[in-house]
C-alpha cells in the first residue's frame, strides 16, 4: 500500500506547478516583454503542459469519486474519454517534452551555461525556481507513470504527434527570429545556418527517442510480473 495516495500526490504536484507558473510570470525579465513573451520558451510551454496534464489527472480523480457506485452509462463514457485524453497527453506531451527539457537544459548547462541559461539570469530567477522549471519535472512525471497505468497510442501515431509538436515549436522559434532578429536561445546565435538545421533535426530525433523511452518504461512498469499488485490502481 502506498504511503501517500496517488490522488494526493497529483494534487500536490498540480499545486506546485501553479506556484512555479505564478512566480515565473511575476518575474520582471526583459525577455518577457518582447515578442512572444514567455511563450517563446520551451520551458514555459512545458510547464503549461505539465500543469494542464496534472489538472486533467485531478479532474479524473474527482470525477471517479463522484461517479463511483453510479450506473450512468453517459458518465462512464465521458470519464473514459477523459482517461483517453490523459493517456494521450502523457504519451505525446507530458513525458517526452518534460524529459527533453530536463535533458537538453542540463546537458547544455553543464557544457556551457551561456549557451542556454546565461549567468545574468541568476539576477532574476532564484535557484529553487530554476530547479522547479528544469529538474523536478522529470521525477514528477515518473511518479505519475509509476502510480497510474497509461495506455500508449500506436508507436507510429505517437511518434508522428511528437514530431508535429517538435516541428511546430521549431517553426515558432524561426518566426520569432524573423520578427525580432534575435534567436530565443543563445546557442542558436553562435552556430551557422547549416548547423542550425542539423541542431533542429537532432533535437527532433531526441524528443522522439524520449517518446520511445517513455513507452518502454511504461510497459516495463505495468507489464512485468512484479507489478501485478499495482494493476488494480
Amino acid at each position: 500500500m502506498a504511503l501517500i495516495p496517488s490522488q494526493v500526490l497529483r494534487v500536490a504536484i498540480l499545486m506546485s506547478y501553479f506556484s512555479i507558473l505564478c512566480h515565473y510570470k511575476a518575474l520582471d525579465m526583459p525577455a518577457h516583454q518582447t515578442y512572444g513573451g514567455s511563450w517563446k520558451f520551451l520551458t514555459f510551454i512545458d510547464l503549461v503542459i505539465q500543469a494542464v496534464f496534472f489538472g486533467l489527472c485531478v479532474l479524473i480523480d474527482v470525477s471517479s469519486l463522484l461517479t463511483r457506485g453510479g450506473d450512468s452509462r453517459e458518465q462512464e463514457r465521458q470519464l473514459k474519454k477523459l482517461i483517453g485524453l490523459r493517456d494521450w497527453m502523457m504519451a505525446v506531451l507530458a513525458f517526452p517534452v518534460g524529459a527533453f527539457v530536463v535533458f537538453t537544459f542540463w546537458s547544455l548547462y553543464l557544457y556551457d551555461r551561456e549557451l542556454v541559461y546565461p549567468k545574468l539570469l541568476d539576477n532574476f530567477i532564484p535557484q529553487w525556481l530554476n530547479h522547479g522549471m528544469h529538474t523536478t519535472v522529470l521525477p514528477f512525471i515518473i511518479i505519475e507513470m509509476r502510480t497510474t497505468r497509461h495506455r500508449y497510442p500506436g508507436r507510429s501515431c505517437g511518434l508522428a504527434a511528437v514530431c508535429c509538436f517538435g516541428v511546430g515549436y521549431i517553426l515558432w522559434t524561426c518566426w520569432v527570429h524573423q520578427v525580432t532578429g534575435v534567436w530565443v536561445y543563445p546557442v542558436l546565435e553562435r552556430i551557422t545556418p547549416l548547423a542550425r538545421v542539423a541542431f533542429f533535426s537532432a533535437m527532433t530525433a531526441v524528443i522522439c527517442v524520449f517518446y520511445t523511452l517513455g513507452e518502454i518504461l511504461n510497459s516495463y512498469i505495468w507489464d512485468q510480473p512484479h507489478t501485478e499488485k499495482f494493476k488494480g490502481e
Side-chain angles (χ1 to χ4, degrees):
M1 182 176 179
L3 293 176
I4 303 176
S6 58
Q7 295 88 343
V8 175
L9 283 173
R10 283 190 277 270
V11 171
I13 292 172
L14 177 61
M15 292 299 100
S16 73
Y17 277 122
F18 280 155
S19 176
I20 291 168
L21 282 167
C22 288
H23 281 86
Y24 181 78
K25 291 298 291 183
L27 295 174
D28 185 19
M29 292 176 58
H32 291 179
Q33 314 304 322
T34 57
Y35 182 81
S38 304
W39 291 98
K40 58 179 172 283
F41 300 110
L42 185 59
T43 293
F44 179 77
I45 295 174
D46 178 50
L47 288 175
V48 173
I49 288 173
Q50 302 300 330
V52 171
F53 171 72
F54 279 100
L56 181 59
C57 291
V58 171
L59 176 61
I60 289 171
D61 289 338
V62 173
S63 299
S64 297
L65 288 174
L66 293 177
T67 58
R68 184 173 295 174
D71 56 358
S72 172
R73 293 182 179 274
E74 179 61 23
Q75 288 180 333
E76 289 183 6
R77 190 172 67 84
Q78 294 301 325
L79 184 58
K80 286 182 179 179
K81 284 184 177 181
L82 288 176
I83 292 173
L85 178 59
R86 177 202 66 187
D87 291 349
W88 185 88
M89 280 198 69
M90 175 66 162
V92 173
L93 294 174
F95 186 88
V97 177
F100 177 85
V101 166
V102 174
F103 174 78
T104 54
F105 174 83
W106 287 111
S107 295
L108 290 170
Y109 185 97
L110 292 174
Y111 176 74
D112 181 0
R113 67 170 296 178
E114 296 299 319
L115 295 176
V116 65
Y117 192 82
K119 195 170 181 60
L120 176 66
L121 292 179
D122 290 341
N123 298 323
F124 300 95
I125 304 176
Q127 282 296 316
W128 73 265
L129 185 56
N130 180 30
H131 284 293
M133 297 187 298
H134 299 116
T135 305
T136 58
V137 172
L138 189 55
F140 282 169
I141 204 66
I142 289 177
I143 288 172
E144 168 61 21
M145 182 177 282
R146 184 65 183 83
T147 57
T148 305
R149 183 172 190 168
H150 298 272
R151 299 189 183 279
Y152 269 60
R155 182 170 295 182
S156 59
C157 293
L159 287 174
V162 171
C163 283
C164 286
F165 174 86
V167 172
Y169 181 71
I170 289 170
L171 293 176
W172 167 235
T173 300
C174 293
W175 177 254
V176 171
H177 175 262
Q178 178 69 22
V179 173
T180 65
V182 178
W183 287 104
V184 173
Y185 301 104
V187 63
L188 297 174
E189 298 279 4
R190 301 190 182 185
I191 56 180
T192 65
L194 184 59
R196 284 191 205 107
V197 173
F199 180 82
F200 287 142
S201 300
M203 292 301 99
T204 302
V206 168
I207 199 171
C208 288
V209 168
F210 279 120
Y211 171 86
T212 306
L213 287 176
E215 182 184 35
I216 293 171
L217 181 59
N218 183 72
S219 177
Y220 173 78
I221 291 172
W222 292 103
D223 295 339
Q224 298 298 314
H226 67 272
T227 57
E228 284 294 325
K229 63 182 180 179
F230 293 103
K231 291 191 176 182
E233 294 179 10

